[in-house]
Amino acid sequence: MVWKCLDTRHAAGLRSTSTRVGLFVLWLVGCPIEASSEPESERLKSTDFYAASLDSRLRRAVDVLRTRGFDSDAPILRTFLVERDAHVHDATLSRGRCYVFAGVATDAVEQLSIRVFDSDGARAVEEHSLGAATAAFFCPSDSGRYFVALTASRGNGLLAFRRLSGPTGLTLRVDDIFRPREQEGRPGSVQ
């Protein structure tokens, strides 16, 4: 059955308060409630949070991780982080694989955190940065659904995030994947 919703402007023109209340209740009961009042075309999409500088920094970090045996297994997530508010998404992770979660934010984010939780809510790994980029390394002991929380502990800004996977048994450093631009191309740095 398709409900035709009443326009509240029509109910406002009625003289009887009880009639207006009755129509309002009918409107509440009979009209579907949308998850968002914005039309689909006006909702923000991941591409609306695009910043070339973030994608460039993330791409360089992913390139470093690829030289260490990891490959991207999920698309880039882009969002806007508000200070002390977490962006959480779920991920199906497999036992026998290791994962790197890498995120870069705009410079207005002074501290970025990545936390991974299992399906029971237990914290599996947590990494913080004193800057706008961080990465977390995690090898799950069980396959299943995990939750990745990205938080701007201090500051607000755009975020680009990527999950990579690789085999177990690799020794991995993630503290050097976000090299400052001035260090790139120097002898001894990984290209």
Side-chain angles (χ1 to χ4, degrees), residues 94-118:
S94 301
R95 181 175 187 246
R97 301 287 296 166
C98 289
Y99 298 88
V100 175
F101 304 94
V104 294
T106 51
D107 291 338
V109 175
E110 296 175 25
Q111 184 175 6
L112 181 63
S113 301
I114 298 176
R115 294 177 308 223
V116 180
F117 298 90
D118 66 17

mmCIF file of all heavy atoms in Angstrom, residues 94-118:
data_model
loop_
_atom_site.group_PDB
_atom_site.id
_atom_site.type_symbol
_atom_site.label_atom_id
_atom_site.label_comp_id
_atom_site.label_asym_id
_atom_site.label_seq_id
_atom_site.Cartn_x
_atom_site.Cartn_y
_atom_site.Cartn_z
ATOM 1 N N SER A 94 40.426 -12.066 7.722
ATOM 2 C CA SER A 94 40.665 -13.510 7.695
ATOM 3 C C SER A 94 41.879 -13.898 8.521
ATOM 4 O O SER A 94 42.919 -13.232 8.461
ATOM 5 C CB SER A 94 40.887 -13.979 6.255
ATOM 6 O OG SER A 94 39.778 -13.681 5.461
ATOM 7 N N ARG A 95 41.727 -14.990 9.231
ATOM 8 C CA ARG A 95 42.858 -15.588 9.948
ATOM 9 C C ARG A 95 43.864 -16.049 8.894
ATOM 10 O O ARG A 95 43.498 -16.497 7.818
ATOM 11 C CB ARG A 95 42.345 -16.767 10.763
ATOM 12 C CG ARG A 95 43.408 -17.447 11.558
ATOM 13 C CD ARG A 95 42.758 -18.523 12.426
ATOM 14 N NE ARG A 95 43.750 -19.068 13.310
ATOM 15 C CZ ARG A 95 44.183 -20.318 13.261
ATOM 16 N NH1 ARG A 95 43.674 -21.146 12.369
ATOM 17 N NH2 ARG A 95 45.099 -20.735 14.093
ATOM 18 N N GLY A 96 45.140 -15.916 9.198
ATOM 19 C CA GLY A 96 46.156 -16.304 8.235
ATOM 20 C C GLY A 96 46.572 -15.158 7.322
ATOM 21 O O GLY A 96 47.389 -15.343 6.425
ATOM 22 N N ARG A 97 46.006 -13.977 7.513
ATOM 23 C CA ARG A 97 46.378 -12.771 6.783
ATOM 24 C C ARG A 97 46.709 -11.692 7.804
ATOM 25 O O ARG A 97 46.231 -11.728 8.930
ATOM 26 C CB ARG A 97 45.227 -12.248 5.910
ATOM 27 C CG ARG A 97 44.711 -13.191 4.869
ATOM 28 C CD ARG A 97 45.602 -13.391 3.691
ATOM 29 N NE ARG A 97 45.808 -12.180 2.909
ATOM 30 C CZ ARG A 97 46.757 -12.071 1.999
ATOM 31 N NH1 ARG A 97 47.576 -13.063 1.752
ATOM 32 N NH2 ARG A 97 46.911 -10.959 1.320
ATOM 33 N N CYS A 98 47.516 -10.750 7.431
ATOM 34 C CA CYS A 98 47.790 -9.586 8.271
ATOM 35 C C CYS A 98 47.305 -8.355 7.522
ATOM 36 O O CYS A 98 47.237 -8.353 6.290
ATOM 37 C CB CYS A 98 49.277 -9.465 8.581
ATOM 38 S SG CYS A 98 49.852 -10.751 9.726
ATOM 39 N N TYR A 99 46.968 -7.326 8.273
ATOM 40 C CA TYR A 99 46.370 -6.128 7.694
ATOM 41 C C TYR A 99 47.087 -4.885 8.195
ATOM 42 O O TYR A 99 47.536 -4.830 9.344
ATOM 43 C CB TYR A 99 44.885 -6.050 8.057
ATOM 44 C CG TYR A 99 44.105 -7.212 7.508
ATOM 45 C CD1 TYR A 99 43.990 -8.392 8.233
ATOM 46 C CD2 TYR A 99 43.528 -7.152 6.251
ATOM 47 C CE1 TYR A 99 43.304 -9.480 7.731
ATOM 48 C CE2 TYR A 99 42.833 -8.237 5.733
ATOM 49 C CZ TYR A 99 42.721 -9.402 6.470
ATOM 50 O OH TYR A 99 42.041 -10.476 5.961
ATOM 51 N N VAL A 100 47.173 -3.918 7.320
ATOM 52 C CA VAL A 100 47.646 -2.594 7.692
ATOM 53 C C VAL A 100 46.503 -1.633 7.385
ATOM 54 O O VAL A 100 45.929 -1.655 6.295
ATOM 55 C CB VAL A 100 48.902 -2.176 6.906
ATOM 56 C CG1 VAL A 100 49.293 -0.737 7.241
ATOM 57 C CG2 VAL A 100 50.050 -3.117 7.203
ATOM 58 N N PHE A 101 46.172 -0.824 8.362
ATOM 59 C CA PHE A 101 45.163 0.217 8.217
ATOM 60 C C PHE A 101 45.912 1.538 8.227
ATOM 61 O O PHE A 101 46.548 1.883 9.220
ATOM 62 C CB PHE A 101 44.156 0.159 9.366
ATOM 63 C CG PHE A 101 43.501 -1.189 9.501
ATOM 64 C CD1 PHE A 101 44.022 -2.135 10.360
ATOM 65 C CD2 PHE A 101 42.394 -1.511 8.745
ATOM 66 C CE1 PHE A 101 43.435 -3.386 10.489
ATOM 67 C CE2 PHE A 101 41.801 -2.760 8.859
ATOM 68 C CZ PHE A 101 42.323 -3.705 9.730
ATOM 69 N N ALA A 102 45.892 2.260 7.115
ATOM 70 C CA ALA A 102 46.663 3.495 6.993
ATOM 71 C C ALA A 102 45.717 4.665 6.751
ATOM 72 O O ALA A 102 44.833 4.586 5.897
ATOM 73 C CB ALA A 102 47.660 3.384 5.840
ATOM 74 N N GLY A 103 45.917 5.731 7.505
ATOM 75 C CA GLY A 103 45.073 6.907 7.357
ATOM 76 C C GLY A 103 45.884 8.185 7.384
ATOM 77 O O GLY A 103 46.849 8.297 8.135
ATOM 78 N N VAL A 104 45.481 9.140 6.542
ATOM 79 C CA VAL A 104 46.085 10.470 6.536
ATOM 80 C C VAL A 104 44.961 11.496 6.589
ATOM 81 O O VAL A 104 43.913 11.310 5.982
ATOM 82 C CB VAL A 104 46.970 10.722 5.295
ATOM 83 C CG1 VAL A 104 48.184 9.828 5.302
ATOM 84 C CG2 VAL A 104 46.208 10.563 4.014
ATOM 85 N N ALA A 105 45.196 12.555 7.344
ATOM 86 C CA ALA A 105 44.208 13.614 7.499
ATOM 87 C C ALA A 105 44.836 14.956 7.163
ATOM 88 O O ALA A 105 46.065 15.073 7.050
ATOM 89 C CB ALA A 105 43.671 13.619 8.926
ATOM 90 N N THR A 106 44.001 15.953 7.014
ATOM 91 C CA THR A 106 44.512 17.297 6.771
ATOM 92 C C THR A 106 45.259 17.782 8.005
ATOM 93 O O THR A 106 45.095 17.263 9.101
ATOM 94 C CB THR A 106 43.366 18.258 6.419
ATOM 95 O OG1 THR A 106 42.338 18.146 7.406
ATOM 96 C CG2 THR A 106 42.780 17.947 5.055
ATOM 97 N N ASP A 107 46.104 18.788 7.810
ATOM 98 C CA ASP A 107 46.974 19.267 8.891
ATOM 99 C C ASP A 107 46.222 19.803 10.099
ATOM 100 O O ASP A 107 46.801 19.921 11.174
ATOM 101 C CB ASP A 107 47.927 20.341 8.361
ATOM 102 C CG ASP A 107 48.964 19.756 7.414
ATOM 103 O OD1 ASP A 107 49.222 18.539 7.493
ATOM 104 O OD2 ASP A 107 49.500 20.519 6.590
ATOM 105 N N ALA A 108 44.945 20.148 9.960
ATOM 106 C CA ALA A 108 44.170 20.626 11.109
ATOM 107 C C ALA A 108 43.943 19.522 12.140
ATOM 108 O O ALA A 108 43.638 19.798 13.292
ATOM 109 C CB ALA A 108 42.832 21.193 10.644
ATOM 110 N N VAL A 109 44.108 18.269 11.735
ATOM 111 C CA VAL A 109 44.019 17.144 12.674
ATOM 112 C C VAL A 109 45.393 16.979 13.305
ATOM 113 O O VAL A 109 46.356 16.642 12.642
ATOM 114 C CB VAL A 109 43.578 15.841 11.963
ATOM 115 C CG1 VAL A 109 43.625 14.666 12.927
ATOM 116 C CG2 VAL A 109 42.194 16.005 11.380
ATOM 117 N N GLU A 110 45.470 17.236 14.597
ATOM 118 C CA GLU A 110 46.753 17.176 15.307
ATOM 119 C C GLU A 110 47.062 15.794 15.857
ATOM 120 O O GLU A 110 48.211 15.485 16.134
ATOM 121 C CB GLU A 110 46.760 18.194 16.448
ATOM 122 C CG GLU A 110 46.656 19.617 15.963
ATOM 123 C CD GLU A 110 46.541 20.596 17.111
ATOM 124 O OE1 GLU A 110 47.006 20.282 18.226
ATOM 125 O OE2 GLU A 110 45.966 21.671 16.888
ATOM 126 N N GLN A 111 46.039 14.977 16.053
ATOM 127 C CA GLN A 111 46.259 13.614 16.533
ATOM 128 C C GLN A 111 45.204 12.710 15.922
ATOM 129 O O GLN A 111 44.011 12.934 16.085
ATOM 130 C CB GLN A 111 46.195 13.526 18.056
ATOM 131 C CG GLN A 111 46.522 12.144 18.565
ATOM 132 C CD GLN A 111 46.572 12.082 20.089
ATOM 133 O OE1 GLN A 111 46.265 13.033 20.772
ATOM 134 N NE2 GLN A 111 46.956 10.940 20.601
ATOM 135 N N LEU A 112 45.662 11.681 15.227
ATOM 136 C CA LEU A 112 44.788 10.721 14.552
ATOM 137 C C LEU A 112 44.945 9.364 15.213
ATOM 138 O O LEU A 112 46.060 8.947 15.519
ATOM 139 C CB LEU A 112 45.172 10.640 13.067
ATOM 140 C CG LEU A 112 44.369 9.714 12.178
ATOM 141 C CD1 LEU A 112 42.914 10.166 12.105
ATOM 142 C CD2 LEU A 112 44.976 9.677 10.782
ATOM 143 N N SER A 113 43.833 8.695 15.465
ATOM 144 C CA SER A 113 43.857 7.368 16.092
ATOM 145 C C SER A 113 43.147 6.361 15.207
ATOM 146 O O SER A 113 42.124 6.665 14.603
ATOM 147 C CB SER A 113 43.152 7.393 17.452
ATOM 148 O OG SER A 113 43.768 8.305 18.317
ATOM 149 N N ILE A 114 43.709 5.149 15.160
ATOM 150 C CA ILE A 114 43.070 4.012 14.493
ATOM 151 C C ILE A 114 42.961 2.909 15.532
ATOM 152 O O ILE A 114 43.957 2.519 16.141
ATOM 153 C CB ILE A 114 43.882 3.519 13.286
ATOM 154 C CG1 ILE A 114 43.989 4.612 12.224
ATOM 155 C CG2 ILE A 114 43.247 2.256 12.698
ATOM 156 C CD1 ILE A 114 44.853 4.236 11.042
ATOM 157 N N ARG A 115 41.744 2.425 15.742
ATOM 158 C CA ARG A 115 41.523 1.311 16.666
ATOM 159 C C ARG A 115 40.733 0.235 15.933
ATOM 160 O O ARG A 115 39.833 0.538 15.161
ATOM 161 C CB ARG A 115 40.745 1.776 17.891
ATOM 162 C CG ARG A 115 41.519 2.766 18.743
ATOM 163 C CD ARG A 115 40.681 3.250 19.882
ATOM 164 N NE ARG A 115 39.416 3.731 19.339
ATOM 165 C CZ ARG A 115 38.814 4.839 19.721
ATOM 166 N NH1 ARG A 115 39.320 5.571 20.647
ATOM 167 N NH2 ARG A 115 37.682 5.221 19.176
ATOM 168 N N VAL A 116 41.080 -1.018 16.205
ATOM 169 C CA VAL A 116 40.377 -2.156 15.617
ATOM 170 C C VAL A 116 39.766 -2.941 16.773
ATOM 171 O O VAL A 116 40.447 -3.256 17.753
ATOM 172 C CB VAL A 116 41.328 -3.056 14.793
ATOM 173 C CG1 VAL A 116 40.566 -4.233 14.208
ATOM 174 C CG2 VAL A 116 42.002 -2.248 13.688
ATOM 175 N N PHE A 117 38.469 -3.252 16.646
ATOM 176 C CA PHE A 117 37.738 -4.005 17.663
ATOM 177 C C PHE A 117 37.207 -5.293 17.044
ATOM 178 O O PHE A 117 36.837 -5.311 15.865
ATOM 179 C CB PHE A 117 36.541 -3.198 18.184
ATOM 180 C CG PHE A 117 36.929 -1.905 18.847
ATOM 181 C CD1 PHE A 117 37.038 -0.735 18.116
ATOM 182 C CD2 PHE A 117 37.186 -1.868 20.208
ATOM 183 C CE1 PHE A 117 37.397 0.454 18.725
ATOM 184 C CE2 PHE A 117 37.551 -0.680 20.826
ATOM 185 C CZ PHE A 117 37.652 0.483 20.084
ATOM 186 N N ASP A 118 37.134 -6.351 17.851
ATOM 187 C CA ASP A 118 36.507 -7.581 17.352
ATOM 188 C C ASP A 118 34.998 -7.455 17.498
ATOM 189 O O ASP A 118 34.483 -6.444 17.993
ATOM 190 C CB ASP A 118 37.072 -8.822 18.046
ATOM 191 C CG ASP A 118 36.743 -8.914 19.526
ATOM 192 O OD1 ASP A 118 35.826 -8.219 20.017
ATOM 193 O OD2 ASP A 118 37.414 -9.718 20.206
#
